[in-house]
Amino acid sequence: MSNTTRPLIKPKKNKTRIWLIYITLALIYIWAFSGMPLPDVKETAAQVSKAIFSGIFSPDWDYVYLPDGEDLLRGLLDTLAIAILGTFISAFLCVPFSFLAASNMSKGRSLSNTGKFILSLIRTFPEIVMAIMFIKAVGPGSFAGVLALGLHSIGMLGKLFTEEIESVDPGPAEALTATGANRLQIIWFAILPQVLPGFLSYTLYRFEINVRSASILGVIGAGGIGTLLIFALSSRDWERVGIILLGIIVMVTFIDLLSGYIRKKIV
Amino acid sequence: MMSTQPQKRVIPEPPSKLKTYFTFFIILLLIFGSAIQTNTSITELIAGFPNMMDLLVQMVPPNWSYFGKIVPAMLETIRMALLGTTFGAIIAIPIALFSASNIVKNTWVFYPVRFILNLIRTIPDLLLAAIFVSIFGLGPLPGILALTIFSIGLVAKLTYEAIEAIDPGPMEAMTSVGANKIQWIFFGVIPQVLPHYISYVLYTFEVNIRAAAVLGLVGAGGIGLYYDRTLGFFEYDKTSSIIIFTLVVVLIIDFISTKLREKLI
Amino acid sequence: MIEFNNVSKTYPNGVKGLSNINLKIEEGEFVVIVGLSGAGKSTLLRSINRLIEISDGEILIEGKSITKAKGSELRRIRRDIGMIFQSFNLVKRSSVLRNVLSGRVGYHSTLRTILGLFPKEDVDLAFDALDRVNILEKAYSRATELSGGQQQRVSIARALAQEAKIILADEPVASLDPLTTKQVMNDLKRINQELGITTIVNLHFIDLAREYATRIIGLRAGEVVFDGPVSEATDEKFSEIYGRPIKKDELLEVEV
């Protein structure tokens, strides 16, 4: 062959690096699989899954509405209410917070950085653990769920709001300064109109996430449909599990579609 | 100062504000309705505030010696997230290919696949875990399965959107050299989406670590189990060490994963 | 009257924006500032309402020092100075009327303006201002729906609603086509003559400067190198200001 005329240059260094990555990956997976529980499946597993499946396909329609007490509709309504109120509280609290954390609004760099650090701390703190703590404070029920969502959502919404404020056109604020407006008037007349559509759109997006979150809060007793699902699961009422799952799927899909439609209209 | 004849000018009609008022009314109605439905009361919050402060005070200082005890559970959490992400990411590949309208040109295929994908994405991971626990019993297995399904939804959705955004040039080139469908995907599609796919898998892993940390609350393995245990026994100093440990692990994994993702794209 | 006493400006990176400027601008003048880009035109203009802090010297507006003013006193002086920008600086999503009314916020308390409770006289003033620049019928349109020339007229209306005694215009026609350039310049000139508002405009078109100004100030590297009536601003003088012969793109050449 023409090896002498066309020497093939092999990127040798790259190759060892690729091998290193493969070996690391292999070691990680060996470690992971070695600790994997052998599928010590209960003999009832097949039976239970079949029951759940048949439950989903032949749901307990009567459970949708019961004249007295806990039924699917009330559970879903509760879930929605938790999501709506939690989202509203966090969006409301986020506004002053994000103005502090935006680097083009606050004077000192340190203030903005502190704000951003607090936001990322809130974001990493699991909402379900927050819910447990609020249950300790106000007792079990939907209100604890509202507070947990309201506080946890600040982390993500605050970050998005801050980025929205940092991307505004500084021109109108300059014009307002030139007319002799004070700080608050500048924010109100020049900044807020620019960021409001973004704020609304992000709030709706977070609402979609919160509807899902609100449906799991019940697992630890913070209200919503989750509580009913746990009851149905522990009493092995599979048809009821089926209708609850169906209810959650329909509700989440509907909210996603509605919110997506409104968000498209805003921007 | 202004001396143009003000009588002569025709001031336009202001637009109707009815729509704005109506929107505000609806929003207020939703908020008040929700407040009533959830038994929201500010007095209760104020009354409960000392309780919460009390709890927070008891959380400091964290019980540092508890770290040693929860290391195995933390490793199990990471393992669950790793396996769940891996299984989910593998299963997501064919689903993503079948959902992409530029790969499968038949509407009767990609719409139903996408529909099922959307259905999967509506069920939160903790509920999936609760269901799997009642099927398979307590332990990490239901957790892994729940994370697998959750990962399928996330990876498949992000990947099929990436596939639909790729440059059609290389695919046309493969068609023109006479490649069959499998060759066409391997040489025309995969090289283009691979970096995106790996990046999405890493991102999903970040999300799954957070999720795996709380799955224990429904008995699906990992460190979440210890929240229940310590909070139940009012050992708040231990709870705070779990929280701190989890935060540290999450932040480290986020950091590594973000660095890797930056290198990929 | 605007007075510059030994004004200098050095930017943090060491660049000299203005050096030792001494000027007196009388009421009712129509001053055009010319010079190459980077000569300090914008710095000079923005130092008048203190959008830029000067490093040395003092600027007096109607005998009051804006350089030393603080807080509400500074805002009160700014209230009397309208400003027009190259990129209009309107709030694009807000209505034209709201943009014009935002010129009035310096006159009222924060709470009152935030609640939108502008007195009827203010709203009348805003309509008057819009009428004067011939876009009254657009009062309730969003600013984005307007053409560039119309947007610039809205920002003139904003300055009018402000009841400004001085109007500063920083390259007001640089993003407009020749035809609308003429309309906007005519508006500025008319307002200057009818209402006696002192007007200071930065321009880079030489023929426009000659056509509209009563007085031309030439800047070069932060120094005043020419200051006199239009009749004295000959082509040779402009070549001096620019440090080179006049180029073609420094003339607007419109036939209206």
Side-chain angles (χ1 to χ4, degrees), chain A residues 171 174 177-178 182 185 189 197, chain C residues 46 78 89 91 93 105 110 113:
Chain A
E174 196 184 23
T177 313
N182 63 33
Q185 289 169 327
F189 282 90
Chain C
R46 278 155 195 260
R78 277 181 176 158
N89 287 358
V91 182
R93 297 187 65 100
V105 297
T110 311
T113 50

Side-chain angles (χ1 to χ4, degrees), chain A residues 235-246:
Chain A
S235 61
R236 316 211 146 250
D237 188 343
W238 306 120
E239 280 161 15
R240 195 163 275 191
V241 172
I243 189 78
I244 292 174
L245 280 180
L246 219 56

Side-chain angles (χ1 to χ4, degrees), chain C residues 22-116:
Chain C
N22 282 290
L23 281 174
K24 222 175 237 177
I25 294 166
E26 302 292 338
E27 218 176 291
E29 280 194 89
F30 196 108
V31 180
V32 171
I33 303 172
V34 294
L36 287 174
S37 64
K41 297 187 302 253
S42 194
T43 312
L44 184 76
L45 205 69
R46 278 155 195 260
S47 65
I48 295 174
N49 61 357
R50 231 175 101 183
L51 285 183
I52 284 179
E53 299 281 346
I54 55 174
S55 358
D56 246 315
E58 190 172 31
I59 296 172
L60 302 176
I61 313 282
E62 314 286 339
K64 276 183 270 176
S65 167
I66 191 166
T67 315
K68 285 181 188 149
K70 278 196 193 84
S72 63
E73 199 189 343
L74 171 63
R75 291 199 291 273
R76 187 143 312 158
I77 300 175
R78 277 181 176 158
R79 199 169 77 180
D80 292 338
I81 308 174
M83 187 149 190
I84 290 152
F85 302 83
Q86 176 181 344
S87 48
F88 326 132
N89 287 358
L90 300 177
V91 182
K92 298 202 172 57
R93 297 187 65 100
S94 296
S95 70
V96 165
L97 182 64
R98 197 174 159 83
N99 268 295
V100 176
L101 276 175
S102 74
R104 298 294 304 168
V105 297
Y107 287 88
H108 306 293
S109 74
T110 311
L111 189 68
R112 181 161 191 174
T113 50
I114 281 176
L115 292 176

Side-chain angles (χ1 to χ4, degrees), chain A residues 11 59 80 85 93 100 133 143 167 175 178 184 200 219 234 237 259 266:
Chain A
L80 271 183
L85 206 58
L93 294 177
L100 279 181
M133 295 169 130
F143 188 39
S167 69
L184 233 90
L200 284 177
V219 168
S234 56
D237 188 343
S259 160
I266 289 174

